[in-house]
Amino acid sequence: GKLAEELVVIGAHLDHLGMGEFGSRSGPGKLHPGADDNASGSAALLVLAEKLVASYRELPEDADLRTIVFLAFSAEESGLNGSAFYCRNPLAPIAQHAFMINFDMIGRIEGKRLSVSGAKTGAGLPEFLAPYFAATPLKIVQPNGMS
């Protein structure tokens, strides 16, 4: 369809260093749980890919759908190297990228609280997300400086 040249990137990161050093909230030398940090986002990426492939197959071939790119980044724990590499070497010009969703630490929902960063960064995104945020039983928290 008409939107096929526009890309939506859905990503997560795979790597884990084991002990907290770079970027760890726990501090140097303390266990940095990779299953929470990385595996939860990577698992969501795979589940979402499976569901979106099935949904796209059910639609007419000429439907106006964006191309969805699923990326599993590596070397993120040592400086966002995988995602930076993609930004320097994208599949299509960055101007054709309509949207990006990144799953990171989605397995950590404590006190029915979900942190959603970047939800105010795209034109129309806050309005699009508002009904979903209103319908969830989770408390949506949007960190300052990452809106």
Side-chain angles (χ1 to χ4, degrees), residues 76-144:
E76 295 298 273
E77 297 289 357
S78 58
L80 305 178
N81 297 307
S83 54
F85 179 86
Y86 181 77
C87 289
R88 290 188 307 271
N89 303 279
L91 293 175
I94 292 295
Q96 287 179 233
H97 289 65
F99 193 75
M100 196 237 174
I101 300 168
N102 185 54
F103 292 109
D104 190 9
M105 292 181 58
I106 65 170
R108 185 178 291 182
I109 297 178
E110 297 174 349
K112 295 195 173 203
R113 177 185 170 277
L114 177 66
S115 177
V116 180
S117 303
K120 299 175 187 170
T121 59
L125 190 54
E127 296 79 12
F128 174 80
L129 292 173
Y132 297 101
F133 288 172
T136 183
L138 301 174
K139 177 182 179 188
I140 302 298
V141 176
Q142 297 184 58
N144 291 330

Side-chain angles (χ1 to χ4, degrees), residues 27-78:
K30 295 189 179 168
L31 182 63
H32 189 181
D36 179 22
D37 187 11
N38 309 350
S40 61
S42 299
L45 180 75
L46 294 171
V47 168
L48 191 55
E50 185 176 71
K51 290 185 179 296
L52 286 170
V53 165
S55 295
Y56 266 48
R57 282 188 182 138
E58 293 175 9
L59 296 169
E61 197 169 309
D62 63 346
D64 290 331
L65 302 172
R66 290 178 176 88
T67 298
I68 299 177
V69 178
F70 296 94
L71 294 176
F73 299 111
S74 184
E76 295 298 273
E77 297 289 357
S78 58

